Amino acid sequence: MVFFQDYKSVIFKRKFVFFFMLWLFVQIMLIWENGVMIGLEATKYINEANCFLKFHRFSSNNHYLYSTQIFLIALVIKFHLGYFVIVIFQILLNFISTVMFYKLSRSFLKIPPLVSLATFFFIVNIPYQQYNTFLFTESVFYSLTIIYSSYLLMLEKLTLPKLGLIILLGAILCITRPTGILFLVAAFIYIFFRFLKGISFFSKSLIVLSFLIVSTLTLNAMLNTGGSLDFMLPFKKENIICGVNNIGDARIQTAEKGNSLQGIAYYIVNNKEQFLKLSLLKTIAFFGMLRDYYSFYHNVFLVCFFYPFYICFFVGIRKIFKQKDTRIIYIFSIIILYWITTLLTCDDWHNRFVLTVSPFFFLIGLQIFAQYSIHDEG
């Protein structure tokens, strides 16, 4: 028995060294290739950081929904630390998320080779990892979503302090990127089915009603933060990809206040044909990930890297649900919520929306092979 435990310890150490060296190699190569990306979207956050330092406020309220990254930039500007400090912070945060993803994979997939495969694909997911060197909101957001999800999905018992931590981390996600609220919604759905089985129907109904009221009010407030956010613009311009107009100005019926849940509902009810057409095209763009402005080899890479996980899922969908692991509820919820959000807005130029949930594709794709329960969790 002692020999077996020592053997397991040696195997684990070798795995750790291998994955750490692979992770380090990927990060060094990305820094070598990209340096510190302060152009493109990063310019907006740098400008807002300077605005906050000068006027103690943002130029518009919608930037509070991206304030984590803006405050990080403001901090290094104020103390003259240099933007590379942020990159180091983002890389360290990514390392923590990598460790958490490995632990989640070990808990979820159980079979050591599958755990290793999931971790390997997570580390070499270059389109996802490259944001560690960018001063974009995704740079912190991606890592926080994995840390948050892993912590939640590995909980065996929900206590009040743990629930408080889940809410706190969820709130931080919401001010890192506005889509952080989707992780809060998915967390509530998961907690409801996973931990609230023993409470009365009345209590469950009260909890659901309270959550729906709070989340609706919060979402409406986020939609009305102003600035450059215009949720009707993608439908007026028939944007499949955000910022790429396919029409001058579509003749559609919109409510007076389009930036609200009521405004979105009004548009869908009164413009069903256009909404369904755009929804199909956005679905293809979201899950397909291919772009005509990508190189041929880039598109080939996306197909070879991501599509096998789609195929595995569709082939084994019945097997996945038969395993009755409630964590599947959370994983599916967040993927579906991101997909629906894309239908109601537009897809990102560089697939950043689907990349957010791409680590979960690895888990559900490999889950069909995790049909034998073993005690050695790798």
Side-chain angles (χ1 to χ4, degrees):
M1 181 63 70
V2 174
F3 172 78
F4 182 65
Q5 290 176 346
D6 289 342
Y7 177 75
K8 286 173 62 178
S9 177
V10 170
I11 293 296
F12 175 78
K13 288 177 181 178
R14 287 179 179 176
K15 280 185 180 179
F16 179 83
V17 170
F18 170 76
F19 284 126
F20 176 76
M21 295 305 295
L22 178 63
W23 172 84
L24 188 62
F25 174 78
V26 169
Q27 305 309 316
I28 290 173
M29 288 299 100
L30 288 173
I31 293 174
W32 180 273
E33 177 70 22
N34 300 326
V36 180
M37 173 57 74
I38 60 173
L40 302 175
E41 191 173 314
T43 304
K44 174 173 63 177
Y45 303 123
I46 293 171
N47 290 339
E48 285 302 317
N50 283 305
C51 177
F52 185 83
L53 289 173
K54 186 175 182 179
F55 301 108
H56 306 292
R57 60 179 174 81
F58 295 137
S59 61
S60 61
N61 289 333
N62 68 298
H63 288 107
Y64 283 100
L65 303 177
Y66 306 91
S67 57
T68 300
Q69 190 73 23
I70 296 173
F71 286 145
L72 278 174
I73 296 171
L75 191 65
V76 300
I77 291 175
K78 182 175 179 61
F79 293 100
H80 309 286
L81 299 175
Y83 294 133
F84 191 70
V85 171
I86 297 178
V87 170
I88 295 298
F89 171 77
Q90 290 170 172
I91 289 174
L92 291 175
L93 197 62
N94 177 263
F95 177 73
I96 296 172
S97 73
T98 303
V99 173
M100 293 293 286
F101 184 79
Y102 172 80
K103 290 182 177 180
L104 175 61
S105 301
R106 190 172 60 178
S107 170
F108 188 72
L109 298 172
K110 301 190 185 318
I111 301 175
L114 298 182
V115 175
S116 296
L117 275 176
T119 308
F120 173 82
F121 283 113
F122 179 81
I123 293 173
V124 300
N125 186 358
I126 302 302
Y128 179 93
Q129 295 285 348
Q130 70 175 340
Y131 288 98
N132 294 332
T133 63
F134 291 19
L135 299 193
F136 287 20
T137 51
E138 286 81 8
S139 308
V140 171
F141 187 69
Y142 283 172
S143 296
L144 289 180
T145 59
I146 295 300
I147 294 169
Y148 179 79
S149 301
S150 299
Y151 175 77
L152 174 65
L153 296 180
M154 288 191 293
L155 280 180
E156 293 296 330
K157 184 179 179 181
L158 185 66
T159 62
L160 195 59
K162 290 177 180 178
L163 179 61
L165 181 58
I166 289 168
I167 294 172
L168 175 61
L169 290 175
I172 294 173
L173 283 176
C174 290
I175 61 170
T176 303
R177 281 194 63 80
T179 49
I181 195 173
L182 303 180
F183 283 87
L184 270 177
V185 173
F188 171 80
I189 295 171
Y190 170 69
I191 289 171
F192 186 81
F193 284 100
R194 172 70 173 83
F195 296 107
L196 303 183
K197 296 178 181 179
I199 66 174
S200 66
F201 177 78
F202 175 78
S203 298
K204 282 186 177 180
S205 300
L206 189 62
I207 291 170
V208 171
L209 181 62
S210 300
F211 177 79
L212 288 175
I213 292 173
V214 171
S215 59
T216 299
L217 293 173
T218 302
L219 186 55
N220 250 334
M222 293 172 73
L223 291 174
N224 283 283
T225 51
S228 59
L229 294 178
D230 182 355
F231 285 86
M232 287 298 104
L233 185 62
F235 301 108
K236 293 175 183 176
K237 303 296 183 180
E238 294 198 343
N239 296 151
I240 308 303
I241 307 300
C242 297
V244 180
N245 300 334
N246 293 320
I247 194 170
D249 200 357
R251 295 183 178 181
I252 58 174
Q253 297 183 52
T254 60
E256 184 177 347
K257 293 184 178 180
N259 279 8
S260 65
L261 292 177
Q262 299 94 323
I264 293 173
Y266 181 91
Y267 160 77
I268 294 173
V269 169
N270 291 278
N271 305 274
K272 297 185 187 70
E273 185 176 342
Q274 189 211 40
F275 176 71
L276 291 174
K277 180 189 77 172
L278 293 179
S279 293
L280 175 61
L281 295 174
K282 291 173 185 178
T283 298
I284 294 171
F286 179 78
F287 289 106
M289 303 181 72
L290 307 183
R291 302 288 190 260
D292 56 11
Y293 44 80
Y294 285 166
S295 70
F296 171 78
Y297 295 106
H298 191 162
N299 282 325
V300 168
F301 166 78
L302 293 174
V303 170
C304 293
F305 192 83
F306 291 104
Y307 283 32
F309 295 102
Y310 295 158
I311 295 170
C312 287
F313 164 70
F314 284 113
V315 169
I317 185 170
R318 290 182 62 186
K319 185 183 294 183
I320 290 172
F321 283 106
K322 279 183 178 179
Q323 292 179 356
K324 296 181 180 179
D325 189 333
T326 51
R327 289 174 293 189
I328 288 290
I329 295 172
Y330 177 86
I331 293 173
F332 271 88
S333 294
I334 196 60
I335 292 174
I336 290 170
L337 286 169
Y338 258 83
W339 168 59
I340 291 174
T341 301
T342 301
L343 300 187
L344 297 178
T345 53
C346 48
D347 200 15
D348 179 69
W349 180 269
H350 285 138
N351 295 305
R352 284 179 292 177
F353 301 152
V354 73
L355 284 174
T356 307
V357 296
S358 63
F360 301 110
F361 293 153
F362 307 148
L363 292 178
I364 63 171
L366 293 171
Q367 175 70 1
I368 68 167
F369 302 106
Q371 53 185 309
Y372 302 108
S373 178
I374 60 177
H375 295 293
D376 179 12
E377 296 184 351

